[in-house]
């Protein structure tokens, strides 16, 4: 359980110091100024037919993303010696919370996730890609099978090793996040020699990127087909991929959870504001306890998730043996907070909340996507139960 | 803990050592879940002696001025509370004295009152009770009907207080009275009232849902009360009561301390090992021949509680980190409702897991954990009702933190 020895050695303030605060506040201001809700709405939800009938991908603000790159966002998780910021995960969580709060469409989360995996790989090939990321490249993980499993064992991309140390990839990777914003992919494959992680460029011959038609308007997703894609030795990142990915898993769960905390807080504040101003029966609806109490409950849920996110991030930063458990707790709490606040944000807005006009739908969908991404609350708790109670049937 | 001063670190080591060497022997009879359920003289004597010992060792009132019987330190109480909780020693008996009377007197008392009353709160030499609630004044606490009428240097008190925890052992009561009918809030006055064998004061036990006693009703019939026992000004009772409530509900630092109760009398008897106990129970509870520790629904429910518990702990940690809290009262004001409902939900889950065996109560030798689960579950309502019921807590969160319009 969560009270092992090394937790006491961790900083009481989670390691969230002035530097982390400054960066978080800068991100908050940048996103508030550059992509306020009116702008986001124009960008991603001009009309429903564009995405849901004609199947086009929602727009995103590439110019703003360029600005973020200049501010070093792609390199946040890249070690300093490789040209990155080398920020603590606690600091990254702070910034990602703001990204969630703004529902900012960008390849930030996918690139952070790839950076965690590459850092764990630690090979010269991984470091070369980390340097590219620090310089502005976006990379996404292609590691998921058709059922949505991230276990290496069931991966549906196969490699055959070449004599020069490279390989040829064939098969498919599913649910690849922000694939159309990525410059390259980090692909998990299996072969007779075990699991590999390889770099495949987005324009590389033999790679086909097929858009998934998702409901979330603030990101894109795709299925990648590998038809004899040739990987040079210099693009082979790891021959020990299953272990590498699993070591990065806690950090990946933390950032998705942080994004969920941000969207949930937006939902809480926006719905609260509506409850303060919308009048029925001659009173603001927030007077009624059937409206007030769920908002109080929502606050409790977001705060639980937020505290657990920083705790988990702090555990990862300090190499605590509790990191995995803490990260799963954070994801469970964040998914549940997101689910609850999404539900109440629509319901408590009444009829208008059920329309395309009302911005809550944008957050509702981003949150719903995040809730299931890398496992919802039920999934995390079943994994936690294996640790805390033991496997079933032994 | 990285940020302790050398003195604090030394104190922490001393506390650990002392607690290891001075762990009390087993109680003469089973102890209740929290101090407000203490029923028998045997329990009282045992707990009173323990509190006195802990006080004399310097782990209570650590941060109170020496002049009032305190240790005169800074930042020691938190450490002492942590160590007391960690050591798993019995809780403090005089919770109302420690966590309500002492901090309120420290803020509102005269020099004389502080010197007279605070030491006894800390040492448990004088047991305190709280006379706020009345039959018609519960959540709406300002609706006080107990009248205090001036008579020379005294006041004559008439009225009816209810749900008075520890009243049967108390020498003193923090008492709210009405001294004017003209104003609901500004007509209240706060007293420190002697209640032990006082003429005109009758204390009668009330029996709880669990079958246990522990709280009382207190009748004042022309009871005479010296004006020297008035706390703060006439008509300022509401303000003083608010000071008491911030400590009672655990939203403020500065209570007398004492560990396991961690500052509030109503933390719901939060049992730090509740999750471990639930897991053990699930291993030993069977349905159709299979242990519930193998049942996915039960596993999910246990882990869900573990997450809530971890969240409480991390909330307490985050509350002290300025840049990670948006509103200073947002986390402190959640503590009471979340921890008491956590205690209730874990106890209920224990009942569910125990299944047929959950029907067995305290006296039955076959009852799992000596009947703890049904008792803890039934008892948990005391804590979700007392000290600001959960519904009131949710009002407070919505109104004070989120700025929603007031319900009343
Ligand atoms: C175990 C225990 C120990 C106690 N110890 C003491 C003590 O030592 N000293 C003391 O003075 N008091 C004590 N109390 C009393 C306690 O403070 C009151 O019971 C509590 O404030 C609720 O008041 P009430 O019982 O009159 O219920 P009511 O106020 O009548 O409430 C009944 C129900 O209505 C709800 N309700 C009331 N108003 C609202 C509202 N505005 N919005 C929504 N819901 C509302 C309540 O939440 C509750 O569910 C104790 C109570 C218990 C259970």
């Amino acid at each position: 359980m969560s009270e092992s020895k090394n937790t006491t050695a961790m900083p009481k303030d989670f390691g969230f110091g002035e530097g982390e605060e400054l960066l978080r506040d800068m991100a908050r201001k940048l996103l508030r100024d550059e992509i306020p809700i009116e702008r986001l709405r124009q960008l991603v939800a001009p009309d429903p037919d564009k995405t849901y009938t004609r199947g086009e991908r929602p727009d995103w603000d590439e110019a703003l993303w360029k600005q973020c790159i200049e501010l070093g966002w792609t390199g946040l998780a890249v070690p300093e010696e490789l040209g990155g910021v080398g920020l603590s995960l606690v600091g990254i969580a702070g910034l990602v919370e703001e990204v969630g709060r703004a529902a900012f469409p960008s390849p930030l989360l996918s690139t952070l996730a790839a950076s965690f995996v590459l850092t764990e790989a630690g090979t010269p090939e991984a470091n070369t890609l980390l340097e590219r990321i620090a310089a502005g490249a976006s990379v996404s993980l292609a590691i998921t099978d058709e059922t949505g499993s991230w276990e290496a064992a069931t991966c549906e991309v196969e490699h055959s090793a070449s004599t020069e140390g490279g390989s040829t990839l064939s098969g498919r990777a599913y649910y690849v996040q922000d694939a159309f914003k990525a410059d390259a992919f980090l692909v998990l494959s299996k072969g007779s020699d075990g699991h590999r992680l390889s770099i495949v460029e987005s324009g590389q011959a033999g790679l086909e990127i097929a858009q998934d038609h998702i409901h979330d308007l603030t990101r894109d997703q795709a299925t990648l087909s590998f038809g004899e894609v040739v990987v040079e030795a210099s693009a082979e990142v790891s021959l020990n991929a299953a272990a590498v990915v699993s070591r990065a898993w806690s950090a990946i769960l933390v950032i998705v959870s942080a994004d969920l905390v941000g969207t949930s807080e937006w939902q809480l504040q926006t719905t609260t504001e509506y409850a303060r101003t919308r009048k029925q029966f001659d009173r603001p609806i927030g007077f009624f306890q059937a409206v007030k109490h769920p908002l109080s409950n929502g606050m409790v849920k977001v705060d639980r998730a937020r505290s657990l996110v920083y705790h988990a991030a702090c555990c990862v930063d300090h190499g605590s043996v509790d990191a995995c458990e803490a990260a799963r707790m954070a994801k469970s709490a964040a998914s549940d907070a997101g689910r609850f606040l999404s539900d109440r944000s629509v319901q408590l807005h009444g009829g208008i909340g059920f329309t395309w006009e009302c911005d809550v739908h944008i957050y509702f969908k981003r949150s719903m996507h995040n809730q299931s991404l890398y496992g919802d609350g039920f999934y995390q708790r079943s994994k936690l139960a294996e640790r805390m109670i033991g496997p079933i049937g032994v | 803990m990285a940020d302790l001063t050398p003195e604090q670190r030394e104190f922490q080591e001393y506390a650990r050592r002392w607690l290891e060497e001075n762990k009390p022997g087993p109680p003469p009879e089973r102890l209740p879940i929290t101090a407000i359920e203490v029923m028998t003289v045997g329990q009282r004597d045992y707990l009173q002696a323990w509190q006195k010992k802990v006080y004399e060792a310097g782990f209570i009132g650590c941060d109170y001025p020496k002049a009032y019987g305190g240790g005169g330190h800074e930042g020691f109480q938190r450490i002492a509370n942590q160590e007391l909780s960690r050591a798993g020693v019995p809780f403090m008996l005089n919770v109302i004295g420690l966590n309500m009377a002492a901090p309120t007197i420290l803020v509102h008392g005269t020099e004389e009152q502080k010197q007279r009353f605070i030491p006894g709160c800390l040492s448990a030499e004088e047991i305190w009770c709280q006379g706020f609630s009345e039959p018609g004044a519960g959540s709406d606490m300002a609706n006080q009907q107990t009248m205090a009428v001036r008579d020379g240097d005294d006041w004559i008190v008439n009225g009816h207080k209810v749900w008075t925890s520890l009243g049967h052992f108390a020498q003193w009561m923090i008492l709210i009275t009405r001294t004017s009918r003209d104003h609901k809030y500004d007509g209240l006055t706060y007293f420190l009232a002697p209640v032990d064998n006082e003429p005109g004061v009758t204390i009668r036990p009330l029996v709880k849902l669990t079958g246990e006693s522990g709280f009382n009703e207190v009748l004042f019939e022309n009871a005479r009360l010296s004006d020297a026992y008035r706390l703060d000004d006439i008509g300022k009772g509401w303000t003083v009561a608010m000071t008491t409530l911030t400590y009672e509900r655990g939203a403020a630092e500065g209570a007398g301390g004492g560990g396991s109760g961690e500052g509030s009398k109503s933390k719901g008897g939060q049992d730090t090992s509740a999750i471990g106990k639930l897991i053990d129970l699930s291993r030993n509870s069977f349905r159709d021949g299979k242990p519930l520790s193998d049942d996915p629904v039960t596993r999910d429910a246990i882990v869900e509680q573990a997450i809530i518990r971890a969240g409480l702990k991390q909330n307490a940690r985050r509350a002290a980190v300025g840049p990670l809290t948006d509103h200073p009262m947002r986390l402190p004001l959640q503590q009471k409702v979340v921890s008491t409902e956590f205690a209730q939900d874990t106890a209920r889950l224990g009942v569910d897991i125990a299944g047929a065996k959950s029907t067995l109560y305290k006296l039955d030798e076959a009852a799992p954990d000596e009947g703890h689960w049904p008792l803890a579950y039934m008892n948990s309502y005391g804590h979700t009702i007392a000290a600001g019921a959960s519904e009131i807590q949710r009002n407070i969160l919505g109104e004070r933190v989120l700025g929603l319009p007031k319900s009343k």
Side-chain angles (χ1 to χ4, degrees), chain B residues 107-267:
Chain B
V107 174
H108 296 278
T110 61
E111 186 56 31
E112 223 178 340
Q113 287 171 331
K114 291 183 210 175
Q115 291 185 16
R116 162 68 188 82
F117 290 112
I118 295 177
C121 292
L122 303 177
S123 66
E125 250 151 68
E126 290 177 321
I127 307 294
W128 286 74
C129 66
Q130 174 195 19
F132 284 18
S133 301
E134 299 181 1
S139 302
D140 185 9
M141 205 183 74
N143 190 34
Q144 294 286 322
Q145 301 304 323
T146 294
M147 290 299 294
V149 177
R150 189 77 190 231
D151 182 36
D153 284 343
D154 293 339
W155 295 81
I156 307 294
V157 183
N158 277 287
H160 185 187
K161 294 289 173 181
V162 286
W163 326 129
T164 318
S165 302
L166 290 171
H168 49 308
F169 293 134
Q171 285 77 50
W172 293 92
M173 172 190 272
I174 42 175
L175 170 68
I176 310 183
T177 64
R178 179 159 296 289
T179 46
S180 160
R181 290 212 181 276
D182 298 339
H183 315 277
K184 183 170 178 182
Y185 294 90
D186 294 341
L188 302 177
T189 301
Y190 197 117
F191 289 95
L192 310 172
V195 290
D196 191 15
N197 284 317
E198 283 292 314
V201 181
T202 310
I203 302 180
R204 281 201 294 250
L206 296 171
V207 182
K208 304 181 188 188
L209 169 85
T210 54
E212 299 174 340
S213 56
F215 61 16
N216 307 269
E217 60 180 339
V218 182
L219 294 166
F220 291 89
E221 290 158 306
N222 293 320
R224 192 165 275 280
L225 186 56
S226 163
D227 188 54
Y229 295 147
R230 172 165 50 79
L231 194 59
D232 216 311
D233 295 341
I234 298 171
K236 243 189 122 185
W238 182 253
T239 314
V240 184
M242 286 303 112
T243 303
T244 308
L245 292 197
T246 35
Y247 291 102
E248 175 177 31
R249 291 171 187 179
E253 291 254 333
S260 349
E262 268 181 300
S264 158
K265 81 165 176 176
S266 286
K267 294 272 165 84

Side-chain angles (χ1 to χ4, degrees), chain A residues 68-84:
Chain A
C68 296
I69 292 174
E70 262 147 46
L71 291 170
W73 286 22
T74 48
L76 287 173
V78 176
E80 274 177 284
E81 57 274 20
L82 299 174

Side-chain angles (χ1 to χ4, degrees), chain B residues 30 62 65 75 103 106 125 128 149 168 185 209 220 235 246 251 295 314 317 328 370 372-373:
Chain B
R30 180 175 173 167
C62 312
L106 192 65
E125 250 151 68
W128 286 74
V149 177
H168 49 308
Y185 294 90
L209 169 85
F220 291 89
T246 35
D295 168 49
Q314 299 307 326
R317 180 177 173 197
E370 300 169 313
H372 169 80
W373 301 103

